[in-house]
Amino acid sequence: MAETTTDPAAPTGRGGERDGWRRQAERIVDSLDRRARVRLLSGSDFWHLESLPDHGITSIMVTDGPHGLRRQPDSGDHLGLAGSLPATCYPTAATLGSTWDREVLERVGRAIGVEAVQQGVAVVLGPGLNIKRHPAGGRCFEYLSEDPHLSGHLAAAMVRGVQSTGTGACLKHFAANNQESFRLVVDTLVDERTLRELYLTGFEIAVTESAPETVMCSYNLVNGVYASEHHELLTTILREEWGFDGLVMSDWGAVNDRSAGIAAGLDLEMPGSRGACDPEVIEALESGRLDDEAVRVCARRVVELSLAHQHRGPSVEFDPDAHHQVARQAAVAGSVLLRNTGVLPLRDDRRIAVIGSFATMPRYQGAGSSQVRPTRLDTAWDAIRVRCAAGVADGRVRFADGYAADTGETDAERLEEALEAAASADVTVLFAGLPARAESEGFDRTTLDLPVGQRRLLEALAATETPLVVVLNNGGVVHLDWAERVDGLLECWLGGQAGGSAVVDVLFGDAEPGGRLAESVPCHVTQLPADRNFPGLPRQVQYREGFHVGYRFHDTAGVPARFPFGFGLGYTTFDWSEAALDVAGGDTEVTVRVKVLNTGERRGSDVVQVYVRDVVSTVARPDKELKGFAKVHLDPGESTTATIRLDRRAFAHWDPAAHEWVVEPGDFEIVVARNSADPVATLSHRVAPADPVARTDRAAAPRRSTGTVAGTAELEAMMGGPIPEPIGARPFHRNSTLADIESTQAGRLLAAAVMREGVRRAAKEFPDPDEATLHMVRAALREGPLRGLVLMGGGVMSFATLDSLIATFNGGIAGEASKAVRRLGRRVAGLRRDRSPREGAR
């Protein structure tokens, strides 16, 4: 009998080498003058850091890569519009999170790191681990889970994998970035306790477990302060509390006030804004508003990162076929079997109707900055044709597209063809999900429903006598009110370039569906407390639901999810027994042991989940919270003991008054469960008084309201003060959006000009852009702040010009403003003609 433990690997690091780079970086920075130091604090272009030729430092490259490299040629843009070099497209984070498997994440990270070395990339911008506060978040496909413990440990595993190759990783987006709507200007209002327990804990775990080289700040404000200049987040918490000693960079275009950012600990502005911010930084230094030491420290971190990547080994060749298999195995591991009446696994000697355009034109990744140009692309229909060649040849295995892949819509002819195929089959497999236009970086979803045409097709097929299996490809949760009407339901999320082969492996039983839900599937989105404040106002979103997110809401409020967090079926059975606690090193150092036996006839995997419940508390707490997990893989008849260690934090909550993590004494329950709604064993545990700040008379202490949505008075009590009014539309300022200035005649002219240029670039740099890309471009431009015209404009406009325009808008002199906009338009046209291709695309 084996033993499976969940002790994480030690953080990756380079020990003495790093100390040497730091000392060398300090010497180099000390030799530079003020302006040279300031210049280092911004990239040289979209993807590169500044070089220092006199000191032997060449420019290093960073690039997107949460599920595969998006390494563009020498020039490029951040929105995923320009072409990129081929790279393995691994499953997105929605799929990887569903694996609940540290080894899988580390393996994928290592493969991405190897490809980064091969392509000359120093830092991969990923993984992303923001909490899925609401399932309609447009970027849910790029994040791991609704739970910080699961997100943090899986992100740490991926960082270890990437950095084991000598490539740096970048955790993103720090912090409280949980929506796409107006993401560059929205103020996230979240109370301190919820922020600490839910939205920061995953970052804390990943930072302390894996020592990432870099962290990326988010676009939004957090409680009135831009994340790019949030001293408490970037310095007090990240560096002083968690011990992070790497570099903090901005998300692309996230810088608001560069001087404030430097003072807060933002080391690097990305992309390079061609020195647009430098004059204001120099002025702040000369006036004494900014300390030279703050610039020196930031510059030292930039140089240190560059030094760390100057002397890596030669470029390596990777085996695309081997990496494709890594992607295939990861997609299998993240596939979640939600329903099976016995129809799965399929037999290849049966008559099978394969319905749905996604079988031939798969939806395998999300849109936006994470878009990868795959080295190859498997389709499910091709994989089925190979596996069932004889059946395809004699007509026993048939295909009908059922709906249009780009819209999800159907028509009478498609319906008739699909029903005809199903009528002659022993089983129907419908490939459904969300078309690309439904979800993307840059905008949030407006519904959790499948497209109307797909739903119409599904209902028609479910009404036939032929058993129906539905395979889903989607980046975020969809409504599954129809789940009981089908015989099999397999959630595959966005499975990457090998997802087509992976799903066929699972359907036919060549591999087991290894996934468990990393996010709850609600019966309906309107049940969720966060839905009342999502996405909020353009300038402010209030997290009135507090900790009532995901399973914390469902289990605490007694509102069952349709499929609970941690749920997933397999093709074999497991017996759990002998659950026990070992207490050592104090009441808050606990080891949970569970014997797991494969009682079925197939090899399979199971996930032991450990939740902690505070039986009596002075504050409202969730019913229970995930604090440990272990994935086991067993042959038939094989057993293992899963060992999961809990530390002090497993029992603690954040106390805003004490400003620290507090463990209150008393009774706790350790819940060993298959998912959040399916406990196998509940173990009692008592914690003796230890923390001097904890209340000892817990039963008599007042509890905070257990309502799931805070009223105004309660929210103000949680926030420790009155709720601020959102910033008004007038007077205009650098953070006014194009949507704001469209209220003036000249503003409409400027907005129209910017929109035309943005769409023109999209069409030029990405031939035949799809609807999701165009929607993303329009949303990014219209909802973005005016300062973005300077920071992301490639030198088209300076801050002085922008400020002059804004002053003219505010002055109400329509004619002068219109003239200024036309002058700017002529300048854009002139730059477009004069630039070389490389300059124009930066």
Side-chain angles (χ1 to χ4, degrees), residues 316-639:
V316 298
E317 294 296 326
F318 75 95
D319 182 348
D321 292 334
H323 281 208
H324 187 77
Q325 288 305 309
V326 171
R328 185 171 180 169
Q329 292 161 6
V332 166
S335 298
V336 187
L337 183 59
L338 296 177
R339 181 169 170 81
N340 185 16
T341 63
V343 67
L344 295 176
L346 300 175
R347 287 167 36 194
D348 51 12
D349 62 350
R350 305 293 299 277
R351 294 174 301 165
I352 303 172
V354 178
I355 311 295
S357 290
F358 281 1
T360 57
M361 293 179 282
R363 174 92 197 288
Y364 62 97
Q365 66 173 326
S369 63
S370 65
Q371 238 172 349
V372 179
R373 180 183 169 194
T375 58
R376 57 188 274 195
L377 181 60
D378 294 355
T379 73
W381 177 237
D382 284 343
I384 290 172
R385 286 195 299 175
V386 170
R387 202 182 191 292
C388 306
V392 173
D394 62 19
R396 287 183 294 110
V397 179
R398 298 177 56 185
F399 170 76
D401 68 0
Y403 58 84
D406 59 340
T407 65
E409 293 308 310
T410 190
D411 53 37
E413 183 178 350
R414 284 188 165 106
L415 278 172
E416 182 179 355
E417 182 186 16
L419 290 172
E420 180 186 345
S424 63
D426 296 314
V427 61
T428 299
V429 181
L430 171 63
F431 287 81
L434 297 177
R437 64 169 59 186
E439 55 184 349
S440 169
E441 176 183 351
F443 59 89
D444 295 313
R445 293 160 61 195
T446 58
T447 178
L448 297 194
D449 293 338
L450 289 176
V452 172
Q454 284 191 14
R455 179 62 184 259
R456 184 179 167 201
L457 174 64
L458 190 155
E459 295 286 356
L461 292 171
T464 70
E465 295 182 357
T466 305
L468 175 62
V469 175
V470 176
V471 176
L472 290 176
N473 289 125
N474 43 288
V477 165
V478 295
H479 285 143
L480 300 176
D481 52 299
W482 43 265
E484 296 298 317
R485 302 192 58 206
V486 305
D487 299 277
L489 176 55
L490 185 63
E491 174 61 87
C492 294
W493 307 110
L494 301 179
Q497 67 179 52
S501 294
V503 70
V504 173
D505 290 342
V506 172
L507 287 173
F508 285 89
D510 298 328
E512 188 222 16
R516 302 293 184 270
L517 289 176
E519 53 193 300
S520 309
V521 180
C523 290
H524 197 276
V525 68
T526 54
Q527 294 178 323
L528 304 180
D531 192 56
R532 293 145 177 82
N533 293 278
F534 179 87
L537 304 171
R539 291 282 176 176
Q540 186 184 90
V541 56
Q542 301 172 2
Y543 286 21
R544 288 178 178 253
E545 72 281 355
F547 64 72
H548 290 283
V549 172
Y551 74 90
R552 287 169 169 80
F553 157 68
H554 291 291
D555 297 350
T556 305
V559 179
R562 188 170 300 280
F563 292 101
F565 175 80
F567 179 83
L569 304 173
Y571 291 156
T572 188
T573 56
F574 293 91
D575 179 70
W576 295 9
S577 62
E578 302 176 18
L581 297 179
D582 294 335
V583 181
D587 294 343
T588 55
E589 298 293 329
V590 177
T591 299
V592 183
R593 301 185 192 277
V594 184
K595 181 181 177 182
V596 183
L597 171 67
N598 184 343
T599 57
E601 298 179 353
R602 302 171 59 98
R603 178 172 175 79
S605 62
D606 210 358
V607 179
V608 178
Q609 302 168 36
V610 174
Y611 299 81
V612 174
R613 173 184 292 128
D614 192 350
V615 177
V616 180
S617 173
T618 63
V619 297
R621 299 190 69 174
D623 172 71
K624 58 185 175 296
E625 297 180 276
L626 182 75
K627 296 299 179 182
F629 64 94
K631 190 162 190 177
V632 299
H633 303 265
L634 297 172
D635 289 321
E638 184 183 8
S639 67

Side-chain angles (χ1 to χ4, degrees), residues 718-756:
M718 292 162 59
M719 298 290 296
I723 301 171
E725 287 293 324
I727 297 174
R730 297 286 188 100
F732 300 122
H733 46 82
R734 289 183 181 182
N735 283 322
S736 295
T737 64
L738 286 185
D740 291 333
I741 65 170
E742 283 176 342
S743 62
T744 70
Q745 179 183 354
R748 287 191 292 275
L749 286 173
L750 178 60
V754 170
M755 220 41 106
R756 281 195 303 272

Side-chain angles (χ1 to χ4, degrees), residues 206-256:
V207 165
T208 55
E209 273 201 9
S210 65
E213 289 192 6
T214 66
V215 169
M216 181 188 293
C217 80
S218 57
Y219 286 124
N220 52 289
L221 299 90
V222 181
N223 294 329
V225 180
Y226 270 99
S228 62
E229 54 201 57
H230 207 299
H231 187 275
E232 183 180 17
L233 284 175
L234 302 186
T235 295
T236 305
I237 295 175
L238 180 61
R239 296 191 185 280
E240 296 174 0
E241 291 187 24
W242 300 348
F244 176 71
D245 63 353
L247 176 140
V248 177
M249 70 177 74
S250 74
D251 202 343
W252 267 233
V255 165
N256 175 53

Side-chain angles (χ1 to χ4, degrees), residues 150-170:
L150 181 60
S151 292
H153 285 281
L154 294 183
M158 177 169 271
V159 170
R160 288 194 297 270
V162 170
Q163 296 192 167
S164 70
T165 67
T167 305
C170 180

Side-chain angles (χ1 to χ4, degrees), residues 83-130:
S84 58
L85 302 178
T88 308
C89 181
Y90 297 93
T92 66
T95 313
L96 295 177
S98 295
T99 68
W100 288 65
D101 196 323
R102 295 173 176 87
E103 291 183 5
V104 168
L105 273 288
E106 193 159 343
R107 193 180 308 131
V108 169
R110 188 178 303 113
I112 291 174
V114 166
E115 295 186 38
V117 173
Q118 190 267 337
Q119 293 194 15
V121 172
V123 176
V124 171
L125 304 178
L129 67 155
N130 293 90

